Amino acid sequence: MYETVDGKGRRPRILRRLLAGAAMFAAACAASPAIAAGAYPDKPVRIVVPNPAGGASDVLARLLAKELNAVWHQPVVVENRAGANGNIGAAFVAKSEPDGYTLLMMDMSSLAISPSLYPDLSYSPSKDLAPIAIVAYSPHILVVRNSLPVSNVSELVAYAKAHPGQLNFGETSGAITHLAGIVLAQKEGFSWNYVGYKGGAQVLSDLAGGQIDATMNSFLATYPLVKGGKIKLLAVASPQRFGPIPDTPAIAETIPGFVTGSWQGLMTTAGTPAAVIDKIHRDIESVLAKPEVLKQFADLGSEPVRKRPAEVGAWMAEQTAYWGKVVRDANVKLQ
């Protein structure tokens, strides 16, 4: 039962075997995502939405929470922490325990522009948050007041050039829709007056009332007004024509490469074990493959996006660089 160690002492052979076994088990845990992830989740999971209830991120988070609840057999609770263009909720998740039990659902485009708009940001989206998945994409749509005598992008550009400084573009200062309007005008060589609002709902209300001339906004919030005949739809900002409105041209047909929209994504605290992130990602993928979920997404004017966590991280870096340049070139300041 004993063996001599360097001739100076005696060590129980069984202890030596136990130590060796423990080392092998630790190595196996490090190598095996299934073992490292353990029984995740074994307690309730929280999805933080950094926007008020009822918006696109909130609606999709609640849909996802219901489906993940059934997969995980654990409560999945949606918690709204709105303010500062999403940064209050995002900062909360960034500073949470890195265990995968606090998740962030928000428009990834808003997250990408925050470092450029908020120089004193209390967290770093790229360093303090870890990407999991892009859950859904919904394009912006370009809409104008009904009385504006244009019916497509080319006619809008021509009208703007023929009436310099006369078109009013409604925007929420610093929002991705504001930057989309800037890019559109820059690419086509015209200018319009930017009229700032506190939120997209007020923008759409004034557009329907004829107080402003044009805006870009989310499909989900805007299309009901188009269907109701309150405003006029010119084009959609998706890469190709968008499924729910196949007869509407894409802006990219007139301005190649012009794509904007809302990419609702899921992130968690940096430092969360990779095996846990991979498990969450796989479970989300299984949910997004369900026909009934796909139908609900389509009804909301959204479509699933399939990217691995590393791909989401690379995409975020590209978006941050792109929109940062737009902010700097246009000298965009929050009011």
Side-chain angles (χ1 to χ4, degrees):
M1 293 295 295
Y2 288 82
E3 62 177 339
T4 300
V5 181
D6 295 332
K8 297 180 180 178
R10 299 171 67 84
R11 174 184 293 169
R13 183 172 291 142
I14 189 168
L15 178 58
R16 182 170 179 266
R17 289 174 178 171
L18 286 172
L19 291 172
M24 291 176 63
F25 180 77
C29 286
S32 170
I35 295 175
Y40 177 92
D42 60 4
K43 62 181 181 180
V45 177
R46 170 170 49 182
I47 300 178
V48 174
V49 176
N51 312 104
S57 294
D58 180 72
V59 171
L60 290 171
R62 294 180 189 278
L63 191 163
L64 192 62
K66 178 182 176 182
E67 295 295 330
L68 290 175
N69 185 300
V71 173
W72 290 340
H73 306 291
Q74 290 288 345
V76 182
V77 181
V78 175
E79 179 179 314
N80 297 90
R81 288 179 174 262
N85 200 28
N87 287 311
I88 290 177
F92 175 81
V93 177
K95 298 171 184 176
S96 297
E97 285 295 318
D99 54 12
Y101 286 92
T102 302
L103 310 178
L104 174 71
M105 170 74 86
M106 72 178 295
D107 186 339
M108 305 288 268
S109 296
S110 295
L111 193 62
I113 65 177
S114 287
S116 300
L117 288 174
Y118 297 86
D120 298 323
L121 206 59
S122 65
Y123 71 101
S124 167
S126 62
K127 295 178 180 178
D128 299 329
L129 292 169
I132 298 173
I134 296 179
V135 175
Y137 166 69
S138 179
H140 295 145
I141 55 178
L142 175 61
V143 288
V144 299
R145 59 179 168 84
N146 281 334
S147 57
L148 196 69
V150 301
S151 59
N152 55 51
V153 174
S154 295
E155 290 180 2
L156 174 65
V157 171
Y159 186 92
K161 289 181 176 179
H163 302 81
Q166 294 184 28
L167 285 184
N168 294 319
F169 183 90
E171 47 86 358
T172 303
S173 297
I176 192 69
T177 47
H178 175 197
L179 302 187
I182 290 173
V183 173
L184 179 64
Q186 285 178 342
K187 284 184 175 293
E188 292 302 292
F190 70 91
S191 62
W192 40 26
N193 303 316
Y194 295 97
V195 181
Y197 291 83
K198 292 182 178 180
Q202 190 179 0
V203 174
L204 294 175
S205 176
D206 276 9
L207 183 65
Q211 281 80 34
I212 56 175
D213 300 298
T215 193
M216 294 189 71
N217 208 348
S218 70
F219 177 90
L220 178 65
T222 309
Y223 192 63
L225 291 176
V226 174
K227 288 183 65 177
K230 303 294 185 182
I231 56 179
K232 189 191 306 184
L233 171 62
L234 299 189
V236 60
S238 50
Q240 298 87 29
R241 296 196 179 198
F242 190 54
I245 46 174
D247 295 331
T248 301
I251 296 176
E253 295 176 28
T254 303
I255 309 172
F258 189 100
V259 177
T260 66
S262 296
W263 282 267
Q264 262 66 41
L266 202 67
M267 306 188 83
T268 191
T269 314
T272 297
V276 172
I277 290 175
D278 286 342
K279 184 179 191 312
I280 300 171
H281 176 85
R282 291 195 305 271
D283 291 340
I284 290 173
E285 288 285 294
S286 70
V287 165
L288 297 181
K290 293 182 177 181
E292 62 271 25
V293 173
L294 291 174
K295 184 180 184 306
Q296 290 179 75
F297 272 50
D299 291 343
L300 292 170
S302 297
E303 54 189 24
V305 177
R306 303 296 171 85
K307 288 183 183 292
R308 297 284 300 166
E311 295 173 324
V312 178
W315 179 86
M316 277 294 294
E318 293 172 359
Q319 291 291 301
T320 301
Y322 176 81
W323 291 113
K325 186 176 186 304
V326 172
V327 169
R328 291 190 300 273
D329 289 352
N331 195 29
V332 177
K333 304 291 184 184
L334 293 179
Q335 298 178 356

